[in-house]
Each structure stands twice: as C-alpha cells, then as structure tokens.
C-alpha cells in the first residue's frame, strides 16, 4: 500500500523507496564525512542511488572544489557488492595517461549510518551532461539535435581508445551506453562559488513530502523532494570541454574471474544477442554495445529505438535491420511469426494488417539509417542552430562517410560474437580518420 501522495515534480526518484534498505534521505546543506562534503544541489538518481552536487570543503585555497556525491541504497552498499571500486582501482593503476583515455574515477568513499541502514557514499570528479542528454530535443523529431560531425568522431575515438585499454587489461565494461559517456566540464566550473552554482544552475526546485494519512513522513523519508538540475542548464558549450569520460562500472568484470552470480544489466537496445538469449557478457558484447553507441553519437538518436521498452520490439527492429537471427536464437524469438517469414524477411503489409498489428515491420539496413540522418530535422525553437558543439540543422552525411560508417558498424554488429571485429580493428578503422 503506497504511503505517500505522488509528487507533482516530474523527474524524481520513487518516494516509496525511502524505507529501511532503500535510499538515504538527503537535503540541501547536509554535510557528510565529518563535515567534509556539503550538498549544494541534486544531479539525478538511479535505481540504486541518488546523485548530488557537493562541495569538498577540504580542497582549494579559498573554497573547495565541487564534486559528484553518489549515495547508494543501503541494500546495495556492502563493499563486497561493489566490484566497481576494485575495477576502478585497477584502471587507475594501469591505464596510461593520455588525452584519449578517460574514465570517471571514484576518488573517495565512506559509509553513512542513517535511518534506512548503512549507505556507501562515492565521491567522483564532477562531470557534465551525457551524450544522451546532449542529444535531447524535446518537442522536436528525435535526432534533430546531434553532435558536430568532427566532434562525434572525436568523442567516438576517445570512447574506443578507453575500451581498447580496458580490454587489453582484461576488463569488460558491460554497460556501454550514451548515458554513461559524459562531457568534461571546463576547469572554471569546478571552482564556482555557491552563488555562481545557483546563478548558473538555478535554485533547487523542491516539493514537500506528503503522506496519505497526513502524518509527518518520519525519519525514513526526506521532508522535501528535490528536482535534479535541468539538463539545459549544464549543457551550454561555454561550460564544456570537447572531451569525455566513461562512467558507471557497476557491470564491469574480469572474464578471467567472473562473479558467480553475474547477469548482464545492459539496456535492452544495447544488449548483444548472446547477452539477451544466453546471459553471456564478454569483450565481444562490449563491441556490440559500442557499435550501438557510435551510431547514436553520430545520429543523435538510438539505433534501436526503445519507444515501447519491450524486448520483443527491440528484437523486431534488430531483425528488420540485420536479418534472421541464427539458430537457436531465432526459435527463442517467440513472437517472430507476427512480423516475419521463417527466412527473416518481413511479411507483406497485407498480412501484417490482417494480423491487426499497429506497429508494422519493414526491411531496413545500417546504410539506410545513416542516409536518413538530417532528413527530418526540426529547427530549434527561437534560433537557427543548437550552438557550436552541435550539427547545423538539416546537415546530411556525405557519401564517403556513409560507406565507411556502414562498414564499421556492419562489422561490429554481427550476430555471432566470434564474427565481430576486435577493439584493435575498431581503433584502426578509417572512419575515425575522416
């Protein structure tokens, strides 16, 4: 039985998850780790944590730098259940310093005892918006806002270089998506005063927590909910560098010694066939996810659109583009006969209409999707362009890029993992040299 009245704030964590074992209640101004970290604003939330903008008050000459504070749920806060810490320590020790090798570190961690249990807190350098957030274009056709062509290739090259070094060290990332690739902030942003933080990012938007029985929320939940910073506030080119970091190593592991209970946690529209059908993750699965990410970085929209959010719909789109799945995976695609013949070709329009399908299947290809980039662009509201980091409205891919990127993605998105190209071959592909 829900205890709380649903909040009016749109983008907010589930208030019902504030209970023993769940989220730790946090308010603006709270301090942690013996007063070292002070909460200034909210960055976001996920299924396992809430994420905050905080000031490290031990750093800096006059005031501490601002950092990311991630407060884990109590039920996932055992250090034994955080392979992310061990993976990042290994990466930090062995990765060579390079402009193209970047990942978001965990610089400090500690535990906080609260009303809902013991919570692991992770401190990382503050980073900017994700590739996914930068491409967000509410009210416009998906893909209307995308990175400049040369910047898309530069960012993709940075991503590939980091994955290359991870694979050489025997580490699988396991969750390569555009939401886990973040732009670096300009150094001056990290030195903002409190007044500058609120001047640029706005004051926190709050809403009182109300219980259904009108009683006080009690110690387990916060007194007020806080909305995350609006993406547009932190996405301006003047605040960002043309450099990225990979974050979220919660699904990473060493195939030489995989966790006994490991299950792939990749988003459905990034998940490899072997991950989906056999629960296997591997270096080759990273190549599949990386191919999906590179397309999205260049196109500004997902290769496989997660509109309906179902495994069946992602599989339908995959077969439309890449053809029939190999056996036995084809037989495991339970609803295939609604859209496809047994050879993997889409059924006729008439057959699909007779089946009463609202969403019909049509054959497509990687090349066809690349040729459509820019075709349906909608201009940004109140201007002719989206700023210096973004592609000009209506820009199409030149033929030579279409051919090179079709070749690269086609080799990365082979159904059978052993047929995909290696990360070394991805690194050397001529698309990055355009």
């Amino acid at each position: 039985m829900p205890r709380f009245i649903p909040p009016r704030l749109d983008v907010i964590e589930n208030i019902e998850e504030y209970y023993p074992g769940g989220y730790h209640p946090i308010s603006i101004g709270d301090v942690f780790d013996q007063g070292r970290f002070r909460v200034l604003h909210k960055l976001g939330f996920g299924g396992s944590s809430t994420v905050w903008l905080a000031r490290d008050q031990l750093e800096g000459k006059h005031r501490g730098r601002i950092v990311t504070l991630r407060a884990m749920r109590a039920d996932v806060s055992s250090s034994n259940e955080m392979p992310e810490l061990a993976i990042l320590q290994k990466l930090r020790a062995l990765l060579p310093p390079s402009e193209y090798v970047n990942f978001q570190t965990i610089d400090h961690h500690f535990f906080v005892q609260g009303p809902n249990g013991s919570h692991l807190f992770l401190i990382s350098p503050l980073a900017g918006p994700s590739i996914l957030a930068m491409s967000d274009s509410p009210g416009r056709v998906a893909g209307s806002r995308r990175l400049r062509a040369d910047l898309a290739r530069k960012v993709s090259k940075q991503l590939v270089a980091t994955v290359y070094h991870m694979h050489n060290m025997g580490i699988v990332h396991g969750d390569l998506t555009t939401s886990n690739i973040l732009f670096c902030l300009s150094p001056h942003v990290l030195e903002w005063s409190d007044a500058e933080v609120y001047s640029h990012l706005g004051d926190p938007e709050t809403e009182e927590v109300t219980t259904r029985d009108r009683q006080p929320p009690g110690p387990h939940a916060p007194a007020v909910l806080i909305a995350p910073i609006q993406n547009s506030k932190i996405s301006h080119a003047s605040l960002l560098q043309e450099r990225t970091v990979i974050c979220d190593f919660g699904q990473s592991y060493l195939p030489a010694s995989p966790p006994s209970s490991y299950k792939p946690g990749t988003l459905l529209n990034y998940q490899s066939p072997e991950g989906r059908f056999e629960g296997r993750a591997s270096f080759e699965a990273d190549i599949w996810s990386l191919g999906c990410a590179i397309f999205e970085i260049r196109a500004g929209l997902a290769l496989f659109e997660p509109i309906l959010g179902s495994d069946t719909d992602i599989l339908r789109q995959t077969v439309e583009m890449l053809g029939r799945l190999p056996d036995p995976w084809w037989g495991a695609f339970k609803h295939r006969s609604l859209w496809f013949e047994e050879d993997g070709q889409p059924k006729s329009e008439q057959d699909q209409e007779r089946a009463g399908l609202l969403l019909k299947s049509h054959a497509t290809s990687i090349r066809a999707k690349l040729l459509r980039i820019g075709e349906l662009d909608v201009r940004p509201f109140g201007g002719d362009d989206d700023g210096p980091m973004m592609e000009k409205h209506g820009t199409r891919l030149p033929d030579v890029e279409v051919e090179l990127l079709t070749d690269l993605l086609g080799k990365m998105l082979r159904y059978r993992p052993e047929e995909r190209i290696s990360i070394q071959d991805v690194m050397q592909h001529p698309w990055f040299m355009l």
Side-chain angles (χ1 to χ4, degrees), residues 135 141-150 152-153 156 291-305 321 364-378 390-406 409 431 434:
S135 300
V141 173
S144 292
R145 180 180 163 90
R146 58 187 178 278
L147 296 179
R148 231 175 43 233
D150 65 300
R153 286 190 294 273
S156 297
C292 295
I294 288 173
F295 177 89
E296 189 168 338
I297 290 168
R298 186 63 184 94
L301 76 166
L303 181 60
F304 305 114
E305 287 286 355
M321 190 178 73
T364 187
S365 66
I366 295 171
R367 186 174 186 277
K369 285 179 174 283
L370 292 172
L371 285 169
R372 295 201 67 188
I373 293 174
E375 182 180 70
L376 301 175
D377 282 359
V378 173
M390 312 307 288
E391 191 98 286
K392 297 294 184 184
H393 167 266
T395 303
R396 310 295 289 273
L397 270 62
D399 291 344
V400 65
E401 182 174 12
V402 170
E403 298 310 318
L404 286 173
L405 194 48
T406 297
L409 297 180
W431 178 69
L434 284 177

Side-chain angles (χ1 to χ4, degrees), residues 88-165:
L88 281 168
Q89 287 169 356
K90 183 177 176 70
L91 281 171
R92 197 169 192 175
L94 297 178
L95 273 179
S98 164
E99 179 184 355
Y100 289 123
V101 179
N102 294 290
F103 58 95
Q104 189 178 44
T105 58
I106 295 175
D107 294 341
H108 185 60
H109 68 279
F110 54 92
F111 285 87
V112 170
Q113 187 66 40
N116 295 330
S118 180
H119 302 263
L120 177 62
F121 277 46
L122 306 173
I123 304 297
S124 299
L126 182 66
S130 66
I131 299 285
L132 178 65
M134 285 288 284
S135 300
D136 188 32
S137 52
R140 298 159 66 188
V141 173
S144 292
R145 180 180 163 90
R146 58 187 178 278
L147 296 179
R148 231 175 43 233
D150 65 300
L151 180 55
R153 286 190 294 273
K154 181 179 180 181
V155 166
S156 297
K157 186 174 182 179
Q158 293 169 4
L159 171 62
V160 169
T162 304
V163 175
Y164 170 82
H165 288 289

Side-chain angles (χ1 to χ4, degrees), residues 276-294:
R276 174 179 281 111
F277 292 108
E278 299 177 8
R280 285 194 289 134
S282 61
F283 298 115
E284 294 82 7
D286 269 358
I287 297 296
W288 177 282
S289 299
L290 186 58
C292 295
I294 288 173

Side-chain angles (χ1 to χ4, degrees), residues 277-349:
F277 292 108
E278 299 177 8
R280 285 194 289 134
S282 61
F283 298 115
E284 294 82 7
D286 269 358
I287 297 296
W288 177 282
S289 299
L290 186 58
C292 295
I294 288 173
F295 177 89
E296 189 168 338
I297 290 168
R298 186 63 184 94
L301 76 166
L303 181 60
F304 305 114
E305 287 286 355
I307 301 171
L308 301 181
S310 74
D311 185 54
T312 297
D313 189 57
I314 299 299
L315 279 176
R316 176 189 64 80
Q317 295 178 55
T318 305
V319 174
E320 279 183 349
M321 190 178 73
L322 301 177
R324 186 186 190 275
L325 288 155
D327 294 322
W329 298 339
W330 181 244
F333 180 12
K334 294 181 181 179
H335 301 290
R336 65 188 183 280
S337 61
L338 291 174
W339 295 284
F340 302 103
E341 305 290 355
E342 273 306 296
D343 63 358
Q345 290 299 309
K347 290 187 171 181
S348 69
E349 186 94 8

Side-chain angles (χ1 to χ4, degrees), residues 13 46 50 131 142 147 162 190 204 208 214 220 244 257 259 262 266 286 308 343 368 383 399 409 411-412 434:
E13 67 271 20
T50 54
I131 299 285
L147 296 179
T162 304
L190 305 181
E208 281 193 20
R214 302 297 174 178
H220 299 291
T244 56
S257 54
Y262 187 85
T266 314
D286 269 358
L308 301 181
D343 63 358
D399 291 344
L409 297 180
K411 291 173 177 175
M412 298 176 77
L434 284 177

